[in-house]
Amino acid sequence: MKSDNIRKYRPFPPVKLTDRTWPDQQITSAPIWCSVDLRDGNQALPQPMTVEEKLEFFDLLCRIGFKQIEIGFPSAADTEFNFCRRLIEENRIPEDVTIQILVQTREHLIRRSFEAIKGAKRAIVHIYNSTSPLQRRVTFSDASREQIRDIAVAGAELVKQLTPTIPETEVVLQYSPESFSDTELDFAVECCNAVIDVWEPTPEKKMIINLPDTVQWATPNIHADQIEWMCRNLHRREALDVSLHTHNDRGTGTAATELGLMAGADRVEGTLFGNGERTGNLDIINVALNMNSHGVPTGLDFSNLADIRAVYERVTRMTVSERAPYAGELVFTAFSGSHQDAIKKGLDRRKKEVADQPDLAWGVPYLTIDPEDIGRSYEAIIRINSQSGKGGVAYILDREHGFDLPKTMHPQVGKTIYDLADSQSKELDANEIRDAFFDCFVNLQSPLELLDYELDHLGAGEVKCHATIAINGETQKISGSGNGPINSFVHALEVAGLKNFTLTDYRSHAIRGGSDSDSAAYIQLRSNDSNLTLWGCGVDPSIEMAGLKALVCAYNLLANA
């Protein structure tokens, strides 16, 4: 934004609340959750959901565990009305779920809404009217405070009058001073208290006061001050559920909600993945999983987040950002080498420690929660591109292909793989990494190739090998003795004048996930001329031959270095 344009904007005034208490609070229990996906989320879609899609979404919300679900604006359109009627007439609403409908404080719309909810076991009738100075001036043509307050009171009185006409339905009143976030606090509380005085809630039969952050004008701390101030000044506070409904215009919907809960709110309205008008509503998944990550149960089940996301994307035709907290495709993925190394070490250490301490607190660098707890696998945690490092490549080879590389081999393999990714300017998938590993480090046969090999056991642990090799394309037979296959082969190379190295390390294991007879061996050699140290890998059904192939491979890597 250009400096000249900034002159048109003004800072949002702070709340005079010098004795605020919310900064010292912690979130230790979950609020009442209310999904507004089928209303607020649906009306924000370029192509609103059909009735059948809304039914599927409603069922999904019930499975997740929502006990309050705003199903729409039944007085606004026949589709909305018919959806409400289908839920009721087809007995689709679980016994422990309360539907919620939204309606402006206008008489004919409220009467139509009561027709829509007739027969429901329990329904929240959510009435609202805009209260901010900007709305009073622009939308309501300079209406006075008294006129705006009277609209709210008339709506509450009509709901109270109509409630006895549907005795089979328990009606709960919810009132929202829409655009609360930029309404003067004294006027917001005046409107709310006027409605409370009409409805006369009790601790046994509460009503809901919803304080919507309809447009985010201020920082989250100011929102928290507003909520705490309201909670102190509302009539019959013990008979109210104070509700939050944050939008995300400033990108701080989650923070505003969490601070609002610390400030005394009891209830949260929001949507899955933050769908909603403009920059969206609060993402309930984000807040709920934030609580889970601190050990707070929420009553909402996001243990299969991928399936929830699939339904959401299909019926709303919206997409979840790759970086959306928890749900995004890449949020548990590390490309950076240092991150990959720390994650690998953390996962390996936790695997060992949790065997002895089943209740061990979660603690893996860069992972705030265990991805498996929300249905994500470890397969995509580490992905390889030119920014990756040795630990990430080793992790992929281990997790995906069963190769447990010696730690000192990681830098050699890692650099080769990420140099390949850099040269191709792309990410390498697990199979491409495996193929590159085999091409560069496994069973290499030039300039030295082992053509045939036989052992004679001489007793007392001594063996003699007879090998046929090709060196730079020329075949020759060599022999040597030692205390095992590898040692005797090394001696044979020495006798033939081909040994110019020192064997410094050897490892072997069965390959996990491969053939039952597949084995991998790793041998490290140091050049006697240059002191260069390199690893080679051998793969063979025979662990003995895997070791010999690893030796030949390391020899060739040194020769070609």
PDB file of all heavy atoms in Angstrom, residues 12-22 185-186 221-222 224-226 228-230 232-233:
ATOM      1  N   PHE A  12      -7.744   1.110  15.613  1.00  0.00           N
ATOM      2  CA  PHE A  12      -8.946   0.748  16.364  1.00  0.00           C
ATOM      3  C   PHE A  12      -8.733   1.135  17.823  1.00  0.00           C
ATOM      4  O   PHE A  12      -7.685   0.841  18.401  1.00  0.00           O
ATOM      5  CB  PHE A  12      -9.218  -0.747  16.242  1.00  0.00           C
ATOM      6  CG  PHE A  12     -10.609  -1.129  16.648  1.00  0.00           C
ATOM      7  CD1 PHE A  12     -11.632  -1.105  15.718  1.00  0.00           C
ATOM      8  CD2 PHE A  12     -10.896  -1.502  17.941  1.00  0.00           C
ATOM      9  CE1 PHE A  12     -12.930  -1.450  16.083  1.00  0.00           C
ATOM     10  CE2 PHE A  12     -12.184  -1.854  18.317  1.00  0.00           C
ATOM     11  CZ  PHE A  12     -13.206  -1.825  17.387  1.00  0.00           C
ATOM     12  N   PRO A  13      -9.716   1.782  18.436  1.00  0.00           N
ATOM     13  CA  PRO A  13      -9.518   2.250  19.826  1.00  0.00           C
ATOM     14  C   PRO A  13      -9.445   1.080  20.801  1.00  0.00           C
ATOM     15  O   PRO A  13     -10.186   0.108  20.672  1.00  0.00           O
ATOM     16  CB  PRO A  13     -10.761   3.110  20.085  1.00  0.00           C
ATOM     17  CG  PRO A  13     -11.784   2.612  19.120  1.00  0.00           C
ATOM     18  CD  PRO A  13     -11.025   2.185  17.901  1.00  0.00           C
ATOM     19  N   PRO A  14      -8.563   1.138  21.780  1.00  0.00           N
ATOM     20  CA  PRO A  14      -8.470   0.075  22.775  1.00  0.00           C
ATOM     21  C   PRO A  14      -9.651   0.129  23.747  1.00  0.00           C
ATOM     22  O   PRO A  14     -10.378   1.119  23.813  1.00  0.00           O
ATOM     23  CB  PRO A  14      -7.156   0.378  23.490  1.00  0.00           C
ATOM     24  CG  PRO A  14      -6.989   1.862  23.349  1.00  0.00           C
ATOM     25  CD  PRO A  14      -7.574   2.208  22.004  1.00  0.00           C
ATOM     26  N   VAL A  15      -9.814  -0.954  24.505  1.00  0.00           N
ATOM     27  CA  VAL A  15     -10.849  -1.019  25.538  1.00  0.00           C
ATOM     28  C   VAL A  15     -10.235  -0.594  26.859  1.00  0.00           C
ATOM     29  O   VAL A  15      -9.127  -1.015  27.205  1.00  0.00           O
ATOM     30  CB  VAL A  15     -11.395  -2.467  25.650  1.00  0.00           C
ATOM     31  CG1 VAL A  15     -12.433  -2.558  26.766  1.00  0.00           C
ATOM     32  CG2 VAL A  15     -11.973  -2.915  24.319  1.00  0.00           C
ATOM     33  N   LYS A  16     -10.923   0.256  27.590  1.00  0.00           N
ATOM     34  CA  LYS A  16     -10.428   0.694  28.894  1.00  0.00           C
ATOM     35  C   LYS A  16     -10.731  -0.395  29.922  1.00  0.00           C
ATOM     36  O   LYS A  16     -11.807  -0.435  30.522  1.00  0.00           O
ATOM     37  CB  LYS A  16     -11.073   2.024  29.285  1.00  0.00           C
ATOM     38  CG  LYS A  16     -10.660   3.185  28.385  1.00  0.00           C
ATOM     39  CD  LYS A  16     -11.293   4.505  28.809  1.00  0.00           C
ATOM     40  CE  LYS A  16     -10.850   5.643  27.892  1.00  0.00           C
ATOM     41  NZ  LYS A  16     -11.478   6.942  28.278  1.00  0.00           N
ATOM     42  N   LEU A  17      -9.764  -1.300  30.083  1.00  0.00           N
ATOM     43  CA  LEU A  17      -9.949  -2.432  30.997  1.00  0.00           C
ATOM     44  C   LEU A  17      -8.599  -2.689  31.672  1.00  0.00           C
ATOM     45  O   LEU A  17      -7.881  -3.628  31.336  1.00  0.00           O
ATOM     46  CB  LEU A  17     -10.421  -3.665  30.215  1.00  0.00           C
ATOM     47  CG  LEU A  17     -10.928  -4.849  31.023  1.00  0.00           C
ATOM     48  CD1 LEU A  17     -12.240  -4.510  31.711  1.00  0.00           C
ATOM     49  CD2 LEU A  17     -11.118  -6.060  30.116  1.00  0.00           C
ATOM     50  N   THR A  18      -8.275  -1.836  32.605  1.00  0.00           N
ATOM     51  CA  THR A  18      -6.941  -1.920  33.221  1.00  0.00           C
ATOM     52  C   THR A  18      -6.791  -3.113  34.149  1.00  0.00           C
ATOM     53  O   THR A  18      -5.665  -3.530  34.442  1.00  0.00           O
ATOM     54  CB  THR A  18      -6.650  -0.629  34.006  1.00  0.00           C
ATOM     55  OG1 THR A  18      -7.681  -0.430  34.988  1.00  0.00           O
ATOM     56  CG2 THR A  18      -6.615   0.570  33.064  1.00  0.00           C
ATOM     57  N   ASP A  19      -7.894  -3.677  34.609  1.00  0.00           N
ATOM     58  CA  ASP A  19      -7.818  -4.830  35.519  1.00  0.00           C
ATOM     59  C   ASP A  19      -8.181  -6.130  34.806  1.00  0.00           C
ATOM     60  O   ASP A  19      -8.705  -7.053  35.410  1.00  0.00           O
ATOM     61  CB  ASP A  19      -8.720  -4.618  36.732  1.00  0.00           C
ATOM     62  CG  ASP A  19     -10.183  -4.432  36.332  1.00  0.00           C
ATOM     63  OD1 ASP A  19     -10.447  -4.119  35.145  1.00  0.00           O
ATOM     64  OD2 ASP A  19     -11.063  -4.602  37.192  1.00  0.00           O
ATOM     65  N   ARG A  20      -7.887  -6.192  33.512  1.00  0.00           N
ATOM     66  CA  ARG A  20      -8.195  -7.405  32.732  1.00  0.00           C
ATOM     67  C   ARG A  20      -7.552  -8.631  33.387  1.00  0.00           C
ATOM     68  O   ARG A  20      -6.441  -8.563  33.924  1.00  0.00           O
ATOM     69  CB  ARG A  20      -7.706  -7.248  31.285  1.00  0.00           C
ATOM     70  CG  ARG A  20      -6.226  -7.047  31.141  1.00  0.00           C
ATOM     71  CD  ARG A  20      -5.801  -6.854  29.676  1.00  0.00           C
ATOM     72  NE  ARG A  20      -6.422  -5.718  29.020  1.00  0.00           N
ATOM     73  CZ  ARG A  20      -5.983  -4.458  29.120  1.00  0.00           C
ATOM     74  NH1 ARG A  20      -4.918  -4.182  29.875  1.00  0.00           N
ATOM     75  NH2 ARG A  20      -6.586  -3.482  28.478  1.00  0.00           N
ATOM     76  N   THR A  21      -8.245  -9.749  33.299  1.00  0.00           N
ATOM     77  CA  THR A  21      -7.743 -10.993  33.915  1.00  0.00           C
ATOM     78  C   THR A  21      -7.384 -12.065  32.889  1.00  0.00           C
ATOM     79  O   THR A  21      -6.709 -13.038  33.226  1.00  0.00           O
ATOM     80  CB  THR A  21      -8.789 -11.583  34.875  1.00  0.00           C
ATOM     81  OG1 THR A  21      -9.960 -11.945  34.129  1.00  0.00           O
ATOM     82  CG2 THR A  21      -9.158 -10.586  35.965  1.00  0.00           C
ATOM     83  N   TRP A  22      -7.831 -11.908  31.643  1.00  0.00           N
ATOM     84  CA  TRP A  22      -7.663 -13.000  30.682  1.00  0.00           C
ATOM     85  C   TRP A  22      -6.207 -13.364  30.391  1.00  0.00           C
ATOM     86  O   TRP A  22      -5.922 -14.541  30.112  1.00  0.00           O
ATOM     87  CB  TRP A  22      -8.411 -12.699  29.369  1.00  0.00           C
ATOM     88  CG  TRP A  22      -7.962 -11.485  28.606  1.00  0.00           C
ATOM     89  CD1 TRP A  22      -8.542 -10.247  28.619  1.00  0.00           C
ATOM     90  CD2 TRP A  22      -6.854 -11.383  27.713  1.00  0.00           C
ATOM     91  NE1 TRP A  22      -7.863  -9.376  27.802  1.00  0.00           N
ATOM     92  CE2 TRP A  22      -6.825 -10.052  27.226  1.00  0.00           C
ATOM     93  CE3 TRP A  22      -5.879 -12.283  27.270  1.00  0.00           C
ATOM     94  CZ2 TRP A  22      -5.862  -9.604  26.320  1.00  0.00           C
ATOM     95  CZ3 TRP A  22      -4.916 -11.832  26.367  1.00  0.00           C
ATOM     96  CH2 TRP A  22      -4.917 -10.515  25.915  1.00  0.00           C
ATOM     97  N   LEU A 185     -19.188  -0.708  23.119  1.00  0.00           N
ATOM     98  CA  LEU A 185     -19.481  -1.752  24.105  1.00  0.00           C
ATOM     99  C   LEU A 185     -20.708  -1.422  24.940  1.00  0.00           C
ATOM    100  O   LEU A 185     -21.510  -2.320  25.253  1.00  0.00           O
ATOM    101  CB  LEU A 185     -18.261  -1.972  25.010  1.00  0.00           C
ATOM    102  CG  LEU A 185     -17.088  -2.740  24.376  1.00  0.00           C
ATOM    103  CD1 LEU A 185     -15.908  -2.811  25.337  1.00  0.00           C
ATOM    104  CD2 LEU A 185     -17.517  -4.149  23.969  1.00  0.00           C
ATOM    105  N   ASP A 186     -20.864  -0.156  25.302  1.00  0.00           N
ATOM    106  CA  ASP A 186     -22.025   0.166  26.126  1.00  0.00           C
ATOM    107  C   ASP A 186     -23.326  -0.057  25.365  1.00  0.00           C
ATOM    108  O   ASP A 186     -24.347  -0.445  25.961  1.00  0.00           O
ATOM    109  CB  ASP A 186     -21.940   1.605  26.640  1.00  0.00           C
ATOM    110  CG  ASP A 186     -22.025   2.632  25.533  1.00  0.00           C
ATOM    111  OD1 ASP A 186     -21.386   2.425  24.465  1.00  0.00           O
ATOM    112  OD2 ASP A 186     -22.716   3.653  25.701  1.00  0.00           O
ATOM    113  N   ASN A 221      -5.974  -9.201  21.188  1.00  0.00           N
ATOM    114  CA  ASN A 221      -6.039  -8.785  22.597  1.00  0.00           C
ATOM    115  C   ASN A 221      -7.197  -7.829  22.840  1.00  0.00           C
ATOM    116  O   ASN A 221      -7.832  -7.862  23.906  1.00  0.00           O
ATOM    117  CB  ASN A 221      -4.717  -8.153  23.041  1.00  0.00           C
ATOM    118  CG  ASN A 221      -4.371  -6.903  22.253  1.00  0.00           C
ATOM    119  OD1 ASN A 221      -4.257  -6.950  21.025  1.00  0.00           O
ATOM    120  ND2 ASN A 221      -4.213  -5.773  22.934  1.00  0.00           N
ATOM    121  N   ILE A 222      -7.488  -6.977  21.865  1.00  0.00           N
ATOM    122  CA  ILE A 222      -8.631  -6.068  22.011  1.00  0.00           C
ATOM    123  C   ILE A 222      -9.926  -6.855  21.976  1.00  0.00           C
ATOM    124  O   ILE A 222     -10.867  -6.587  22.739  1.00  0.00           O
ATOM    125  CB  ILE A 222      -8.595  -4.969  20.936  1.00  0.00           C
ATOM    126  CG1 ILE A 222      -7.418  -4.019  21.210  1.00  0.00           C
ATOM    127  CG2 ILE A 222      -9.911  -4.205  20.872  1.00  0.00           C
ATOM    128  CD1 ILE A 222      -7.254  -2.896  20.213  1.00  0.00           C
ATOM    129  N   ALA A 224     -10.285  -9.868  23.038  1.00  0.00           N
ATOM    130  CA  ALA A 224     -10.393 -10.491  24.362  1.00  0.00           C
ATOM    131  C   ALA A 224     -10.883  -9.497  25.403  1.00  0.00           C
ATOM    132  O   ALA A 224     -11.708  -9.824  26.262  1.00  0.00           O
ATOM    133  CB  ALA A 224      -9.041 -11.077  24.770  1.00  0.00           C
ATOM    134  N   ASP A 225     -10.387  -8.261  25.339  1.00  0.00           N
ATOM    135  CA  ASP A 225     -10.869  -7.220  26.263  1.00  0.00           C
ATOM    136  C   ASP A 225     -12.372  -7.009  26.092  1.00  0.00           C
ATOM    137  O   ASP A 225     -13.113  -6.836  27.074  1.00  0.00           O
ATOM    138  CB  ASP A 225     -10.142  -5.899  26.008  1.00  0.00           C
ATOM    139  CG  ASP A 225      -8.744  -5.864  26.616  1.00  0.00           C
ATOM    140  OD1 ASP A 225      -8.416  -6.757  27.425  1.00  0.00           O
ATOM    141  OD2 ASP A 225      -7.975  -4.935  26.275  1.00  0.00           O
ATOM    142  N   GLN A 226     -12.834  -6.977  24.832  1.00  0.00           N
ATOM    143  CA  GLN A 226     -14.267  -6.784  24.574  1.00  0.00           C
ATOM    144  C   GLN A 226     -15.081  -7.915  25.200  1.00  0.00           C
ATOM    145  O   GLN A 226     -16.130  -7.669  25.813  1.00  0.00           O
ATOM    146  CB  GLN A 226     -14.519  -6.736  23.066  1.00  0.00           C
ATOM    147  CG  GLN A 226     -13.964  -5.503  22.371  1.00  0.00           C
ATOM    148  CD  GLN A 226     -14.136  -5.585  20.857  1.00  0.00           C
ATOM    149  OE1 GLN A 226     -13.979  -6.643  20.254  1.00  0.00           O
ATOM    150  NE2 GLN A 226     -14.436  -4.451  20.238  1.00  0.00           N
ATOM    151  N   GLU A 228     -14.214  -9.962  27.728  1.00  0.00           N
ATOM    152  CA  GLU A 228     -14.195  -9.903  29.194  1.00  0.00           C
ATOM    153  C   GLU A 228     -15.094  -8.783  29.708  1.00  0.00           C
ATOM    154  O   GLU A 228     -15.822  -8.956  30.696  1.00  0.00           O
ATOM    155  CB  GLU A 228     -12.762  -9.719  29.709  1.00  0.00           C
ATOM    156  CG  GLU A 228     -12.701  -9.713  31.217  1.00  0.00           C
ATOM    157  CD  GLU A 228     -11.302  -9.865  31.786  1.00  0.00           C
ATOM    158  OE1 GLU A 228     -10.383 -10.315  31.060  1.00  0.00           O
ATOM    159  OE2 GLU A 228     -11.123  -9.542  32.993  1.00  0.00           O
ATOM    160  N   TRP A 229     -15.059  -7.629  29.040  1.00  0.00           N
ATOM    161  CA  TRP A 229     -15.921  -6.513  29.463  1.00  0.00           C
ATOM    162  C   TRP A 229     -17.395  -6.907  29.381  1.00  0.00           C
ATOM    163  O   TRP A 229     -18.171  -6.633  30.296  1.00  0.00           O
ATOM    164  CB  TRP A 229     -15.641  -5.295  28.578  1.00  0.00           C
ATOM    165  CG  TRP A 229     -16.278  -4.018  29.077  1.00  0.00           C
ATOM    166  CD1 TRP A 229     -15.711  -3.064  29.858  1.00  0.00           C
ATOM    167  CD2 TRP A 229     -17.629  -3.585  28.830  1.00  0.00           C
ATOM    168  NE1 TRP A 229     -16.604  -2.052  30.121  1.00  0.00           N
ATOM    169  CE2 TRP A 229     -17.798  -2.346  29.502  1.00  0.00           C
ATOM    170  CE3 TRP A 229     -18.702  -4.105  28.120  1.00  0.00           C
ATOM    171  CZ2 TRP A 229     -18.995  -1.641  29.479  1.00  0.00           C
ATOM    172  CZ3 TRP A 229     -19.903  -3.400  28.094  1.00  0.00           C
ATOM    173  CH2 TRP A 229     -20.050  -2.178  28.760  1.00  0.00           C
ATOM    174  N   MET A 230     -17.779  -7.551  28.282  1.00  0.00           N
ATOM    175  CA  MET A 230     -19.175  -7.971  28.125  1.00  0.00           C
ATOM    176  C   MET A 230     -19.568  -8.989  29.192  1.00  0.00           C
ATOM    177  O   MET A 230     -20.658  -8.901  29.775  1.00  0.00           O
ATOM    178  CB  MET A 230     -19.388  -8.553  26.727  1.00  0.00           C
ATOM    179  CG  MET A 230     -19.341  -7.541  25.602  1.00  0.00           C
ATOM    180  SD  MET A 230     -20.713  -6.346  25.620  1.00  0.00           S
ATOM    181  CE  MET A 230     -22.089  -7.395  25.147  1.00  0.00           C
ATOM    182  N   ARG A 232     -18.548  -9.267  32.102  1.00  0.00           N
ATOM    183  CA  ARG A 232     -18.732  -8.585  33.396  1.00  0.00           C
ATOM    184  C   ARG A 232     -20.040  -7.799  33.465  1.00  0.00           C
ATOM    185  O   ARG A 232     -20.576  -7.564  34.560  1.00  0.00           O
ATOM    186  CB  ARG A 232     -17.584  -7.613  33.639  1.00  0.00           C
ATOM    187  CG  ARG A 232     -16.228  -8.249  33.831  1.00  0.00           C
ATOM    188  CD  ARG A 232     -15.206  -7.159  34.138  1.00  0.00           C
ATOM    189  NE  ARG A 232     -13.848  -7.672  34.192  1.00  0.00           N
ATOM    190  CZ  ARG A 232     -12.793  -6.934  34.576  1.00  0.00           C
ATOM    191  NH1 ARG A 232     -12.982  -5.663  34.927  1.00  0.00           N
ATOM    192  NH2 ARG A 232     -11.593  -7.459  34.593  1.00  0.00           N
ATOM    193  N   ASN A 233     -20.557  -7.377  32.307  1.00  0.00           N
ATOM    194  CA  ASN A 233     -21.669  -6.426  32.320  1.00  0.00           C
ATOM    195  C   ASN A 233     -22.991  -6.974  31.786  1.00  0.00           C
ATOM    196  O   ASN A 233     -23.994  -6.248  31.773  1.00  0.00           O
ATOM    197  CB  ASN A 233     -21.271  -5.179  31.511  1.00  0.00           C
ATOM    198  CG  ASN A 233     -20.198  -4.356  32.221  1.00  0.00           C
ATOM    199  OD1 ASN A 233     -20.493  -3.585  33.127  1.00  0.00           O
ATOM    200  ND2 ASN A 233     -18.953  -4.552  31.811  1.00  0.00           N
TER     201      ASN A 233
END
